[in-house]
Amino acid sequence: MKQKILIVDDDVNIAELISLYLTKECFDTKIVHDGEAAIEEFNSYQPNLILLDLMLPGIDGYEVCREIRKTSKIPIIMLSAKGEVFDKVLGLELGADDYIIKPFDSKELVARVRAVLRRFNPNVEEKADDTPKGKFVQYPDLIINLSNYSVQYYGKNIEMPPKELELFYFLASNPNQVFTREQLLDHIWGYEYYGDTRTVDVHIKRLREKIKDHSNWSLATVWGIGYKFEVKNTKK
């Protein structure tokens, strides 16, 4: 089945152009032009990914993202003519998986859509069995499972967007190894990222709000270089 992309943009010409790009790449698309319609179509259309313009009539893109994140981890890529760092950071903090500045190249748009979709499978359900299965790393009081996109922290499931989980998994899979922000962008986003490296800082900040340092491990900042998953006992 074709993957479904919900396009939310009040500019009819841009929305139609995006739809044309994606349809040529064998995606199924649906277009809406305001925030209220976006929330309604999200529930009925059940897209695999949302391309979300920020400047919408009525409910803006930030609020749409906030509403969707209350119930779903579906990938969201924000579209905006605003290129300021503040706008990017705000979008990412609300749970967006990527941020594309208008005008954009059609090949870049398609590449980013594919990159995000490769890292997210909304149809995988968590198993009731407590034994982790598939691709995972395990430390005392922590299991990060990349196969079903779940994190268990002190026995509780912790909700986090795909990019946060992938960043956490990558660092935890390479204990005590230091990575620069540029290396993390390359490994996690998987393409040449045109934003700035504060994207990594935002995701680390969100991770630290949910996952506190443990006596055996922690998310550590290496000043002037980047980040590492510090383990006192590397036995997993």
Side-chain angles (χ1 to χ4, degrees), residues 140-157:
D141 303 310
L142 177 68
I143 301 172
I144 310 169
N145 194 320
L146 195 64
S147 295
N148 64 6
Y149 274 76
S150 67
V151 175
Q152 286 193 346
Y153 178 55
Y154 285 97
K156 295 182 178 180
N157 288 326

Side-chain angles (χ1 to χ4, degrees), residues 88-105:
K88 297 179 188 177
V89 171
L90 178 58
L92 293 168
E93 286 184 335
L94 288 174
D97 297 279
D98 202 351
Y99 190 107
I100 301 179
I101 300 171
K102 298 178 180 178
F104 46 78
D105 180 80

Side-chain angles (χ1 to χ4, degrees), residues 128-198:
D129 187 356
D130 290 334
T131 304
K133 295 175 176 62
K135 198 172 182 181
F136 69 93
V137 290
Q138 185 169 2
Y139 293 93
D141 303 310
L142 177 68
I143 301 172
I144 310 169
N145 194 320
L146 195 64
S147 295
N148 64 6
Y149 274 76
S150 67
V151 175
Q152 286 193 346
Y153 178 55
Y154 285 97
K156 295 182 178 180
N157 288 326
I158 304 298
E159 294 290 327
M160 59 179 63
K163 279 293 182 289
E164 278 183 44
L165 190 146
E166 289 161 18
L167 176 60
F168 198 20
Y169 176 86
F170 178 76
L171 289 169
S173 298
N174 299 277
N176 296 323
Q177 184 173 342
V178 180
F179 293 95
T180 66
R181 292 167 177 81
E182 290 81 6
Q183 287 175 321
L184 292 172
L185 280 171
D186 182 57
H187 279 290
I188 305 307
W189 276 256
Y191 50 78
E192 187 177 358
Y193 190 69
Y194 292 89
D196 61 72
T197 53
R198 280 197 61 187

